[in-house]
Amino acid sequence: MGKYCVGSRVEIVGHEYGFWNSYFAVTILRDDCIKFLVRYEKLKDDEGRKLQEEVGLEYIRPYPPKIPYKIQELDDVVAFDGCGWWRGTVIHANEEELQVNFDYVTDPDEQQITYKRKLVKIHQECYILRAASAWIHLKVDP
């Protein structure tokens, strides 16, 4: 059995072409010791239903905690766009908005996007050792 319980809210790390550098909130529906059946919170299938997918443990991480931090220029962030969180770097910041650069995007019209601050949070990496996990982020306001 995996360390995540059925009914848990977790994140899936984007693992297919076009979804790299992304994170999606999901609920675990089933754990069969090899794969997890998950239901995405926002991502939908062709019929408009919440997408369900079987994924391996290597693509699952705990849902990240909220961090009290005012994002600034050059911060490593994730921006909510569409149905998931996409990793980028802040290139311009003001009190209301943040311009985020996605250097892995090839379409110049989609490489730099401006978001309201509430749609952007500091990027965090999760390191899992045995039954415990630790979140690492680069900056936190004092």
Side-chain angles (χ1 to χ4, degrees), residues 40-107:
Y40 288 79
E41 287 184 8
K42 303 284 184 188
L43 198 58
K44 308 255 175 150
D45 64 17
D46 293 336
E47 287 80 41
R49 297 178 302 228
K50 291 182 180 181
L51 181 67
Q52 293 185 16
E53 176 183 32
E54 283 191 334
V55 296
L57 178 62
E58 67 270 24
Y59 301 117
I60 298 176
R61 69 183 202 167
Y63 200 81
K66 291 187 178 186
I67 300 297
Y69 177 73
K70 185 173 182 184
I71 295 171
Q72 304 169 43
E73 289 179 9
L74 303 181
D75 280 345
D76 186 12
V77 297
V78 288
F80 191 80
D81 198 322
C83 47
W85 295 92
W86 299 83
R87 188 171 179 183
T89 304
V90 175
I91 57 173
H92 180 72
N94 64 40
E95 287 302 312
E96 297 174 11
E97 297 178 323
L98 300 163
Q99 187 175 20
V100 179
N101 183 64
F102 303 97
D103 60 2
Y104 52 88
V105 174
T106 56
D107 183 344

Side-chain angles (χ1 to χ4, degrees), residues 13 15 17 28 50-51 56 63-64 79-80 96-97 106 114 120-121 141:
V13 178
H15 54 279
Y17 180 77
I28 295 176
K50 291 182 180 181
L51 181 67
Y63 200 81
F80 191 80
E96 297 174 11
E97 297 178 323
T106 56
T114 301
V120 180
K121 59 187 179 180
D141 280 343

Side-chain angles (χ1 to χ4, degrees), residues 29-41:
L29 301 178
R30 185 183 73 234
D31 172 5
D32 68 8
C33 299
I34 297 171
K35 296 267 186 180
F36 290 82
L37 177 64
V38 300
R39 181 180 54 236
Y40 288 79
E41 287 184 8

